[in-house]
């Protein structure tokens, strides 16, 4: 597999995992996204063909649609952070690991409290480290709208985390 395509695979997997929070399901959704991508662009398509990034944006759109379809079929299950903590605690992690896990669960809950549009911005900008221009093209909004939504998401996250 081309190195750039492998990097794309990792990004799409992280994007799917961010939404479904299940390793196996994220792998399935990622593979389905790439199958649909290959059907559209052809088996000989490589990252060098991407040029302006449209193919990666197309992969993100496919992945987003697959995640939406996944939740339509199964319904969105609420995360259970306390059960996660108890399950991981049984494995004997050190206190620092438990604190990191608690912080992770708290941050995840804060991100989950955001509206869907702002969660997308957080996922693309901070989890996948996509530039604002690429996010704007993917979501069909201006770069300045991306910055405004990003600031709003950070403000809401800060308020949520400070209220803890």
């Amino acid at each position: 597999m081309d190195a750039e395509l492998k990097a794309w695979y990792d990004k799409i997997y992280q994007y799917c995992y961010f939404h479904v929070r299940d390793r196996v399901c994220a792998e399935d959704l990622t593979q389905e996204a790439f199958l649909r991508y290959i059907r559209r662009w052809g088996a000989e398509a490589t990252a060098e063909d991407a040029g302006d990034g449209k193919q990666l944006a197309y992969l993100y759109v496919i992945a987003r649609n697959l995640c939406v379809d996944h939740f339509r079929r199964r319904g969105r299950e609420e995360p259970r952070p306390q059960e996660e903590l108890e399950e991981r605690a049984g494995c004997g992690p050190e206190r620092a690991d438990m604190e990191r896990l608690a912080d992770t669960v708290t941050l995840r809950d804060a991100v989950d409290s955001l509206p869907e549009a702002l969660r997308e911005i957080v996922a693309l900008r901070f989890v996948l480290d996509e530039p604002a221009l690429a996010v704007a093209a993917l979501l069909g909004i201006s770069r300045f709208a991306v910055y405004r939504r990003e600031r709003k998401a950070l403000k809401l996250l800060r308020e949520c985390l400070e209220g803890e």
Side-chain angles (χ1 to χ4, degrees), residues 121 125 131-137 140-151:
I121 295 290
R125 291 285 288 144
L133 193 57
V135 173
I141 59 177
S142 72
R143 186 180 71 218
F144 300 107
V146 170
Y147 291 134
R148 280 192 304 273
R149 290 180 186 181
E150 182 180 312
R151 279 193 308 275

Side-chain angles (χ1 to χ4, degrees), residues 121-130 150 153-154 157:
I121 295 290
V122 169
L124 293 167
R125 291 285 288 144
F126 300 109
V127 175
L128 299 171
D129 200 29
E130 290 293 332
E150 182 180 312
L154 291 175
L157 286 173

Side-chain angles (χ1 to χ4, degrees), residues 28-83:
D28 290 344
L29 293 173
T30 302
Q31 289 178 8
E32 180 63 25
F34 272 85
L35 286 173
R36 291 182 184 190
Y37 166 82
I38 289 172
R39 280 188 212 128
R40 166 63 173 87
W41 293 99
E44 66 282 346
T46 64
E48 291 83 40
D49 299 332
D52 56 6
K54 287 184 180 178
Q55 290 181 348
L56 179 58
Y58 182 69
L59 271 168
Y60 277 125
V61 170
I62 294 170
R64 180 177 44 197
N65 291 339
L66 288 170
C67 289
V68 168
D69 290 346
H70 168 77
F71 288 120
R72 280 187 189 143
R73 281 192 305 272
R74 297 192 58 216
R76 189 171 188 105
E77 297 173 11
E78 291 298 317
R80 297 173 290 204
Q82 188 58 39
E83 290 178 15

